[in-house]
Amino acid sequence: MRTRPLKVALLGCGVVGSEVARIMTTHADDLTARIGAPVELAGVAVRRPSKVREGIDPALVTTDATALLKRGDIDVVIEVIGGIEPARTLITTAFENGASVVSANKALLAQDGAALHAAAEQHGLDLYYEAAVAGAIPLVRPMRESLAGDKINRVMGIVNGTTNFILDKMDSTGAGYQEALDEATALGYAEADPTADVEGYDAAAKAAILAGIAFHTRVRLDDVYREGMTEVSAADFASAKRMGCTIKLLAILERAADGESVTARVHPAMIPLSHPLASVREAYNAVFVEAEAAGRLMFYGPGAGGSPTASAVLGDLVAVCRNKLAEATGPGESAYTQLPVSPMGDVVTRYHISLDVADKPGVLAQVATTFAEHGVSIDTVRQQGKDGEASLVVVTHRAPDAALSGTVEALRKLDTVRGVASIMRVEGE
Ligand code: HSE
């Protein structure tokens, strides 16, 4: 056992960083035994040094993160600041100064993962980021390492806890979006500005990271098609219930049938209640992975929060420290397939469309003709009429998204269609 400690610099000491520091202290002996050398918290870079941080020696606290990284004896940097800058510059500085990096920064990895991986490789160092996707759930390492001998064809997951909490409330109580969001905010699940969660940006960043790992190709945030869930209504849930479905905000990553391209998307969708993801309640995350040899795997657990995210950070810390002692590195970026990312219009999916129409002869035929003209085959139609008006619910067979959205546009233009009450993709069948 080596007695000289591995020195760790912690960048950021908020909800996650303070938990990382606490566990590093309270579990120091176990971490030493697992790594084969002691780990020492050598410095903590923060923005507000005057804040009281229980359990952290004030002498370790600094506002000068760059000086901490440049002092020359740091072995591992833990970055839990989040956002693009200064995190990007600090991670680059860490590599330039010989430190491996453990990061929880999904936005940065989704935007600049390739450059950061290249910098790590250039300096013979590690970049680990289990905590960037789905908090405590072991997902990055199983996909990068345990499934490295398999071929992943599809990943479908709930990777945002805030929106899952809101949708679950809407489903279980019949509440509208705003009412459920207010409850999520009151309980601390949603931030004061919930845009990143409810508009799907957070899930899209995680989707980009997972797609890159799953398909061994580069998928950037801009490649991910994104729709938020603010338009999902109580009426959509009522429609979903009639179909034996619920509604989830899903990240879906697929390899095309010919294997020549991939797609990555985040949007709300109906899924059957029999699908394992339908039973993911409250703020939990779950990711369903379909691999050629392994079959279907589901990863489930808490996707956010200080302690769960710290668990993922510390797992990476142990791995990176072990690699340091072995004078080795773990897996870097694997982007050898260089598959193009196809646009949303090429994605093959199904639509559930609810229309308000005039209840008179020929309307159903006119609607059916519009579907046929766009090459979209109808699976089921349900009509309910009242006082010369009718509501028409059409569920399609699978078709390219461009054909399905083209059909909806054409339906909107029909005189007999008073309005399109709801459009929702149907997944997971
Ligand atoms: N805001 C995220 C969520 C957690 O609600 O899942 C951090 O990615």
Side-chain angles (χ1 to χ4, degrees):
M1 167 92 64
R2 180 176 114 152
T3 52
R4 188 169 63 77
L6 288 147
K7 296 203 174 182
V8 178
L10 180 60
L11 308 183
C13 198
V15 178
V16 177
S18 56
E19 265 302 288
V20 169
R22 186 188 67 76
I23 298 171
M24 278 183 72
T25 309
T26 54
H27 294 192
D29 291 346
D30 286 329
L31 292 172
T32 301
R34 291 170 198 175
I35 290 167
V39 271
E40 177 188 309
L41 192 56
V44 182
V46 299
R47 257 186 322 184
R48 283 179 294 140
S50 54
K51 188 173 156 193
V52 177
R53 294 179 171 87
E54 211 179 309
I56 294 179
D57 179 354
L60 297 180
V61 175
T62 176
T63 53
D64 194 344
T66 306
L68 174 61
L69 300 179
K70 287 187 171 173
R71 65 185 228 184
D73 64 344
I74 301 297
D75 297 291
V76 181
V77 170
I78 296 175
E79 182 272 307
V80 283
I81 304 172
I84 305 301
E85 286 294 354
R88 176 170 48 197
T89 302
L90 292 173
I91 290 176
T92 308
T93 306
F95 290 139
E96 286 164 359
N97 287 273
S100 284
V101 173
V102 173
S103 173
N105 194 330
K106 62 205 159 252
L108 180 57
L109 281 150
Q111 183 176 304
D112 283 326
L116 295 177
H117 276 294
E121 193 178 338
Q122 182 195 340
H123 294 283
L125 295 162
D126 277 326
L127 172 60
Y128 274 47
Y129 47 91
E130 183 65 69
V133 185
I137 305 175
L139 188 60
V140 172
R141 188 106 33 93
M143 284 175 63
R144 280 221 290 190
E145 299 183 39
S146 315
L147 292 169
D150 208 334
K151 183 178 184 188
I152 297 175
N153 288 322
R154 194 160 193 267
V155 178
M156 184 159 92
I158 296 165
V159 292
N160 184 272
T162 306
T163 48
N164 200 56
F165 180 89
I166 295 170
L167 291 170
D168 183 37
K169 282 293 151 208
M170 292 174 75
D171 188 27
S172 58
T173 67
Y177 165 72
Q178 191 58 49
E179 194 185 333
L181 171 63
D182 290 345
E183 185 175 349
T185 310
L187 292 172
Y189 288 115
E191 294 182 30
D193 177 0
T195 308
D197 292 320
V198 300
E199 295 296 354
Y201 293 103
D202 175 82
K206 293 165 180 168
I209 296 169
L210 288 181
I213 298 170
F215 305 131
H216 301 270
T217 194
R218 277 191 190 144
V219 178
R220 286 170 52 95
L221 186 54
D222 291 348
D223 296 324
V224 181
Y225 174 82
R226 179 195 54 78
E227 267 176 39
M229 44 72 73
T230 57
E231 303 290 319
V232 177
S233 65
D236 292 327
F237 271 101
S239 296
K241 280 206 167 85
R242 277 194 290 272
M243 281 186 63
C245 288
T246 187
I247 299 169
K248 296 291 186 189
L249 183 71
L250 297 177
I252 304 175
L253 323 168
E254 288 171 315
R255 191 190 291 278
D258 65 3
E260 297 297 317
S261 62
V262 298
T263 53
R265 53 190 163 121
V266 169
H267 56 73
M270 291 184 184
I271 52 167
L273 293 173
S274 56
H275 193 283
L277 289 176
S279 56
V280 177
R281 308 289 307 271
E282 305 211 314
Y284 280 89
N285 284 194
V287 178
F288 200 70
V289 177
E290 297 178 32
E292 207 162 83
R296 294 173 166 191
L297 309 168
M298 174 124 136
F299 300 84
Y300 172 86
S307 191
T309 309
S311 166
V313 168
L314 285 153
D316 280 355
L317 176 66
V318 170
V320 165
C321 286
R322 285 174 178 160
N323 292 343
K324 276 259 172 193
L325 292 182
E327 295 180 4
T329 52
E333 186 190 33
S334 176
Y336 71 94
T337 63
Q338 297 186 31
L339 295 171
V341 184
S342 300
M344 186 62 197
D346 291 359
V347 167
V348 176
T349 182
R350 299 173 68 202
Y351 270 26
H352 171 286
I353 303 165
S354 183
L355 304 168
D356 295 325
V357 296
D359 194 2
K360 58 184 191 186
V363 173
L364 193 55
Q366 209 181 18
V367 168
T369 302
T370 306
F371 278 88
E373 281 169 357
H374 289 82
V376 175
S377 174
I378 292 172
D379 182 17
T380 60
V381 182
R382 186 165 45 80
Q383 180 177 330
Q384 198 169 7
K386 196 181 167 216
D387 301 334
E389 297 282 304
S391 88
L392 201 56
V393 176
V394 181
V395 182
T396 73
H397 282 297
R398 282 161 59 79
D401 200 81
L404 292 161
S405 58
T407 307
V408 173
E409 283 320 301
L411 289 170
R412 285 186 202 278
K413 290 184 187 135
L414 295 180
D415 290 342
T416 46
V417 172
R418 308 272 190 250
V420 180
S422 129
I423 313 161
M424 187 78 61
R425 296 181 183 89
V426 184
E427 297 288 341
E429 290 172 308

